[in-house]
Structures are given as structure tokens and as C-alpha cells.
Amino acid sequence: MRLQALDKDSLFLPYATSLRMSDMGYSNHAQSSLNICYNTLEEYVDSLSSAIRTPYPPYEAIGLKQDGKYLQLNTNLLQIENEYYSTIRPKRIARSGEKPVTALRNEGVEYVEVRCLDINPFEPMGLSEQDAHFLDVFLVYCSLQNSNPIHADECDEVSNNFKTAVTEGRRPGVELRQQGQPVLLQSWGLQLLDDMSPIAEILDQANESSTFVESLCAQREKLKDAALTPSAQVLNALEAGDSGYLELMMSLSEKHSKRFSEHDLSDERIAYFEQLAQRSVADQLATENNDSRDFDTFLQEYQAAE
């Protein structure tokens, strides 16, 4: 995978959709050896817990401390559970000092965190209302599908498909693998959208709207014309203008900032946020005043907790 020069400061891949989710982004060599299982909550928690306790020689070579200061929390495959950069994660809000895996094991899944989505720089909120509606359809569709166990070979196939999509997803004729057989990304995507159509129609009926079906239509158009995807729009904007990537992002950020600054918050809303800020400061002071443990002790107790 050889990057190409975009401008004097930036490199890119011509058909990539999300380099952030590639090996050059959140993924790394250490985590590529992990086999985090999603078949059951118990297996997921156990595999994450194992990764936190499995030594990793390159991290051991770095060492835990230098001159009495921590270089890392441990020398294992994962420092903490949240360091695992998966595309989607089952989550639960943990209590203070409680491990995420402990909260999941004891109380179950509270929400699902979809991590493989990039912020759309052209949207003031980073996500359009239409895209949010599509996510609703997609997640409901996923929750209603048969959940057969995923074996190692299929897990590798899914992982390789994802790598292809993020690095070459807009390449014409790009192929994925479906149960060992080649399949066009475009054809498979369109079939999945067709399968989601009944879900979108039901959601529209329930909400007396047409927005959910329209959100599927928008995704169909992107599959048919890759130039409509956000990644292609970023490249098109750069090619059409005289500025580089950093300048484009700064320009869009300033545009969005100006848009939000033109809408004043109500006095009631301002008072609410001020109360939250005061409460946060008070809670922090209370925590600091009541905590007599040094960091070494805290870390040992935290890592030993189940």
C-alpha cells in the first residue's frame, strides 16, 4: 500500500474511504494478533481481559518506568480495554474505578458504540440528519438478523473485507469475499440496502415520515457513484481549490463555528451548563480530597480488580 502525494504536506490513497480505520490509523501491528470474539458477551469480555494480561515483547522492551515515571500502564497487548480500536463495541457506563469489562460482565450491554464512522467535515455537526436516519435503519436491521457464531476463517474474511473497503472502497470493480467467493462491493452493498428496505418503511410508518427510506436512497446513489461519498468530496474540494488539506479543514471549521455562533443559547440553557461546570469542579475537588492513595497503589488495585 503506497501512499501518493496530495500536496506538499499530505499523502493519500486515490480510492480510500477511511485511512483512519486502516493500518495507518487506529489499527496497529500489536492488535492485529488479537482475536476478540463477538459471539457472546462472555467471550468478548474474556478475550479482552486476556489481551490486557498477555505480555507483548516490543512493549516489554520499552519498559514500564523510566526515572520513576511511567512510560506505559503495563507492557501487555492492551494497556486498558478502551485501547482496543474495533469497528464497533458493546459498552456500558462504568462506575468510578470500575473496569469497562467488569461493568459489561456484571450488568450487560447498555449501548453500542459505532467507531468506524468518520466525521463528515462538510456537516456542521459532523453527521447529517440523513446519515443518522440511515444508521437507525442499519442498526435495527443488524439486530434482527440471525446471529450465528463467527468462526476463525469467517472472522479473517470479515477483517480483510474491511481493510479492502477502507483502502480501496471507491475503486471501480473492487471485490470483497463472501463465504470464500468473490463479490463486487457495489453489488453486495446494493443487496444489503434492498434487504434493509422493509425496516426503513416500517420506521417511516411509525414516524409518519419518508426520511428513513430517503436515507437508503442516498446510500444507493453513493454505491452507484463513488464521487458522492464524503472521501471523494474531500478530494474533489482539494483538487478544485488552491488550498491544501489543512487549509480546507480549517476553512470548514471556521465556517461551522460562525454558523453556531450566530445562534445564541437561551438564559436557561446557559444557566444549566454553568451548573454542570460548577458541579464538575466540586466533584473533582471532593475526589482529590478523599483520595489518599498514590498512583502505584491505585494502578495495582485497578489492574487486579475483576
Side-chain angles (χ1 to χ4, degrees):
M1 191 163 50
R2 181 179 292 274
L3 294 172
Q4 300 179 19
L6 178 62
D7 55 48
K8 61 183 180 65
D9 299 315
S10 306
L11 300 172
F12 81 118
L13 287 177
Y15 299 115
T17 59
S18 178
L19 290 180
R20 178 182 70 91
M21 295 305 300
S22 74
D23 291 343
M24 290 176 283
Y26 282 146
S27 299
N28 61 50
H29 180 71
Q31 292 194 16
S32 66
S33 64
L34 296 176
N35 184 23
I36 305 298
C37 182
Y38 287 90
N39 286 330
T40 67
L41 181 59
E42 182 179 3
E43 289 179 85
Y44 176 77
V45 169
D46 286 345
S47 54
L48 269 184
S49 298
S50 175
I52 296 172
R53 292 178 171 85
T54 301
Y56 185 60
Y59 294 163
E60 291 180 315
I62 295 172
L64 186 64
K65 284 184 176 182
Q66 185 176 43
D67 299 328
K69 295 183 178 180
Y70 279 94
L71 300 177
Q72 48 189 339
L73 297 179
N74 60 48
T75 57
N76 300 330
L77 276 169
L78 290 182
Q79 304 275 299
I80 57 175
E81 299 93 327
N82 288 345
E83 193 185 15
Y84 176 54
Y85 297 125
S86 58
T87 56
I88 192 166
R89 296 194 301 196
K91 298 281 287 191
R92 182 170 202 91
I93 298 174
R95 292 184 291 271
S96 178
E98 183 182 34
K99 282 185 174 182
V101 290
T102 303
L104 278 174
R105 189 193 303 274
N106 294 339
E107 301 180 61
V109 179
E110 186 174 7
Y111 65 97
V112 173
E113 181 184 53
V114 182
R115 296 173 54 82
C116 58
L117 294 177
D118 288 332
I119 289 175
N120 186 338
F122 299 101
E123 292 292 334
M125 295 290 291
L127 181 74
S128 71
E129 185 175 0
Q130 186 177 74
D131 289 339
H133 283 128
F134 170 68
L135 280 175
D136 284 339
V137 176
F138 173 71
L139 292 173
V140 171
Y141 169 79
C142 289
S143 68
L144 294 176
Q145 299 309 296
N146 290 330
S147 186
N148 298 321
I150 296 177
H151 301 293
D153 289 345
E154 184 181 0
C155 189
D156 289 340
E157 187 177 75
V158 169
S159 178
N160 290 331
N161 282 342
F162 186 80
K163 291 177 182 178
T164 299
V166 299
T167 58
E168 301 183 79
R170 289 185 290 106
R171 179 169 60 83
V174 63
E175 289 185 342
L176 304 178
R177 306 291 292 184
Q178 186 180 34
Q179 296 180 347
Q181 300 300 314
V183 58
L184 289 174
L185 181 151
Q186 183 189 63
S187 300
W188 197 357
L190 290 172
Q191 179 60 58
L192 285 171
L193 291 176
D194 287 343
D195 294 343
M196 294 179 208
S197 291
I199 304 296
E201 292 170 1
I202 290 173
L203 288 173
D204 273 333
Q205 291 173 9
N207 291 276
E208 298 182 347
S209 70
S210 60
T211 53
F212 293 96
V213 169
E214 290 169 359
S215 73
L216 288 191
C217 292
Q219 308 315 312
R220 283 194 183 92
E221 294 306 311
K222 292 174 187 175
L223 280 168
K224 294 176 181 178
D225 182 2
L228 299 175
T229 60
S231 53
Q233 290 178 333
V234 169
L235 289 178
N236 290 339
L238 289 169
E239 292 171 354
D242 297 325
S243 60
Y245 176 80
L246 294 178
E247 290 80 9
L248 174 63
M249 293 301 109
M250 182 60 70
S251 174
L252 289 171
S253 296
E254 290 173 347
K255 176 183 176 182
H256 298 329
S257 176
K258 180 180 179 181
R259 176 183 180 275
F260 286 120
S261 66
E262 292 173 350
H263 299 276
D264 294 330
L265 292 175
S266 66
D267 292 340
E268 180 183 6
R269 199 64 177 167
I270 292 174
Y272 169 73
F273 285 125
E274 288 177 344
Q275 290 175 3
L276 284 182
Q278 293 169 3
R279 187 187 312 161
S280 176
V281 172
D283 289 345
Q284 179 186 355
L285 290 173
T287 299
E288 293 174 349
N289 291 334
N290 294 326
D291 189 2
S292 59
R293 293 175 299 176
D294 57 38
F295 184 72
D296 285 350
T297 302
F298 165 79
L299 185 59
Q300 291 173 4
E301 292 178 352
Y302 181 80
Q303 291 178 336
E306 292 294 342

